[in-house]
Amino acid sequence: MPIPSPFHPRTSVLCTSYLWKEWAGYHAVRSYETSHEREYLAFRHGAGLLDVSPLCKYEVKGPDAGRFLAYVTVKDVTKLGLGRVTYLCWCDPRGHVLDDGTITRWDDDHYRMTSADPSYAWLHRNARGFEVEITDVTEELAALALQGPNSRAVLAAVFGSELESLRFFRGVRAQAGRIPVEITRTGYTGDLGYEIWIPAQHALAVWDALVEAGAAYGLLPAGLDALDVTRVEAGFILGGIDYTSARKAVIPSQRSTPQEIGLGWAVGLERDPFIGQAALCREAREGARYAMVGLDIDWDELEHLYDAADLPPDLSPQAWRSSIPVYHGVVQVGYASSGAWSPTLKKNLAIATVEAAHAPIGTELAIEWTVDHARKTVKATVVPRPFFDPPRKRANVVHEAATSA
Amino acid sequence: MSTMSRGWDAIVVGGGHNGLVCAAYLAKAGRRVLVLERRHVLGGAAVTEELVPGFHFSVCSYVVSLLRPWIIRDLDLPRHGLEIIPLEAAFSPLPDGRSLCRWSDPERTRREIAAFSKRDSEVYPEFGKKMGQLARFVKPIIDTPAPRPTSLSPLALLDMVKLGRRFQDLDRDLQGTLVKLMTMSAADMLDEWFESDVLKAPMSVSGIIGTFLGVRSPGTAYVLLHHYMGEIDGAFRSWGFAKGGTGAISEAIADAARRFGAEIRTEASVASVLIRHGEARGVVMADGEEIRAKHVVSGLDPHRTFLKLVGSDHLDESFLATIKRFKMRGSSGKVNLAVDRLPYFASRPGDATCLRGDIAIAPSVDYLERAYDDAKYGDFSRRPFINVVIPSIVDPTLAPPGKHIISCFVQYAPYAIKEGAEHWPERREAFGDAVVDTLAEYCPGLKESILYRQVLTPWDLEQEFGLTEGNIFHGELSLEQLAFQRPAAGWAHYKTPIERLWMCGSGTHPGGGIMGAPGALAARAMLKKGGS
Ligand SMILES: Cc1cc2nc3c(=O)[nH]c(=O)nc-3n(C[C@H](O)[C@H](O)[C@H](O)COP(=O)(O)OP(=O)(O)OC[C@H]3O[C@@H](n4cnc5c(N)ncnc54)[C@H](O)[C@@H]3O)c2cc1C
């Protein structure tokens, strides 16, 4: 049975819809109200506050911490600067992706890793010969994602205006009163946003401070349904949905390489040995068979399909997660694994795995679409991800004093 | 149009949102385009201005619904900053302290309506469903050029609908409703469905916005349908705020146009269209400068375009007569307030959530009809219908922290007051007082909280925004002025009697509102012409 997160005393009172789901063994709010719309809008126009405590979190410390993580993941994180965050994945010895997550370097010999699935055993098993200490801090460390165009202002109001200058994919230690927290400018919405890592016993105090300061900035507690739409707009993949972890794959075709899930850019091949290196080198030479692409599903065609059935286009406001065939002509060349109608872009979007030959931007494919219980196909064009990429996501704050001088 | 030689392929007169959309589409097709806007800001009636430091007003239009999603996609407007936030509630306070609030949550709305009429509460979704079905049926009208008629009676529009779509396939019920919509008044139509005045009054006003008609005037029912055509999300949904005010929509379109290579000038007032041998060759600016172009597109209203920029010398009598007959008749005004606190509505103390949408001061159908009576006799309504929004609640960037802006769209304020329209400036503040007094009856403490007030009469809309007779839609959106009659029979396809002079403003099909369709369809017509 799922357990409550450290924020449960607050979230459970606010969740008047009673819409919950299980996330990595925790109770997690899907949407606080019966519709997630306002929470979605908070992410895009104000600020959304999301409990991400269920993320698996590991402290990796010791003289070999960097070398160890560079060995178990696809990136040479010994090169990661202090206070920097990186997104990456890790593979099994055959180069198949096990999971993806972030690594933050807090000190020379102190890193923190997040993952979707529990990874302690796997880290531990591979630590032989390295002088490292791995601690699972999932339960001790509560976490909040504060995302949206106003998130910077809310953050500054609670933790001080120094926070404004925190740059994209950097982390910093901060304090709210006497409560020590860590803040990274990261998130899963593809917008300006932060994640706040809080000792669990102080979780509620930080929540309260953010909610109070956020009142003037349109802050709303937000759930996973709203997050799901933003993450599709951002074009982010989701383990277990858009790809299957090699750990869970039952047959070979279910496994994916980093290249195949669009994370080829994260792989550093030319370096000291790491898990999966030989296989990934081979793939780099021979080319990947599949590619992860963004699809823009043609709205006019879709509307015509509905029109022919005398129906208005009726798309769910929820993001969907199911496998839907993708065709080139009449031949199936892949499948979409998740998608959503983007209220911001007014586009119907999907994330799909297709044969590499059909992956170039601009390729016209077709996706299956069910209208009035009948299966049809609609044109879907391969477009770059992120679908939605506002400049504020990466923008740095230029202080007024500096510009007016 | 060709891109071969140098010089402008097209000059767009007026940087309203339609002119900008037209320019963006032309530029996207590779044409060299120049936009000339008289004011210092772009957007025309879709404009945001910082009237007092820190307070950003959507000076004229204040909510958006009909902006075509295909235009948003074609021009990639979200990338240029377009963000639309749906209205969350439709609140109707009553003078006796009761109130009705409709929400996006249908169950919540049902409970609210049931407090007045259990019957109505269950009929309400049925009505919505029917209107939605019909809206889909007539929607192609606003996304394609006007149909070519077989006759010029307003009911020919109905014929077109019948022909164009599978009217015969519609069930009897829907057929009947559609015919009624084309002929009845908004109030009569709603009487057939509902019993509660509290519900009918705010619903009926969408039939009269921008017209010089009352809720009991025949033909107003059709305009109700426009309300249900508003699309947020491609699915049929109602109205929204543009983040940064409605001017942000114009700015996003202008940005897109510039990215495609269009040049846009402000404080560039066009005095006339340069015409040689019945053909437009460019424009003459107010300062005498001549700018030549292969085509000229006017985003101004038909009166302004033909009676001012072209001039009667170049037009034949019958066309002139038709344009003069095209009804402008402004009937609305606007009061914009900056306040130092969130307004307090006596009927819902402490509940700010019902203010996150639009607020209708429309307590009964009789109230609305009485408001119209004042206007019929050449005066502004003593107790007007007011559509109030407080966009700073959902978009705090519009006002300093804790402070707010209140936008009041007011009807009726007839252009032709009995003293004569030019006497509006003397009556302006009295009009403003009538609005604030009316609102203050629902909102105690309002007057004390006002930091700044802007009153726009139809006269001001004409003088400042170039809207002839202050008509907010460049000509009334009444049945006989729609589709193939907009602005004149035979000239409903963006062409004019002057060769190479085109129209792209709200005075053309499919009409007014922040929709962009006239601008986009005009550009398409021009490109098609030039391509052949
Ligand atoms: C008070 C008010 C409230 C409204 N509320 C809403 C609403 O909430 N929602 C909605 O959808 N619609 C609303 N409308 C209607 C909507 O704003 C208009 O229909 C629409 O914005 C018109 O756009 P346009 O581009 O066709 O014309 P305009 O916006 O009128 O643009 C014409 C432009 O031409 C310029 N111009 C005029 N003369 C010259 C010249 N000689 N030389 C150069 N430039 C010139 C003008 O300055 C203006 O910028 C409202 C309108 C008003 C006035």
Side-chain angles (χ1 to χ4, degrees), chain B residues 13-19 36-39 43-46 59-65 239 268-270 299-300 304 309 333-334 409 461 464-467 472-474 504-506 512-514:
Chain B
V13 185
H17 84 285
N18 276 315
L36 300 170
E37 165 56 42
R38 189 180 62 86
R39 296 192 72 218
V59 178
C60 293
S61 59
Y62 50 99
V63 284
V64 52
S65 149
W239 298 80
S269 180
V270 174
L300 316 192
R304 225 145 263 262
L309 294 192
K334 183 95 193 277
F409 177 83
L461 293 176
E464 183 63 33
F465 295 93
L467 298 163
I472 68 167
F473 292 141
H474 289 196
C504 72
S506 293
I514 307 171

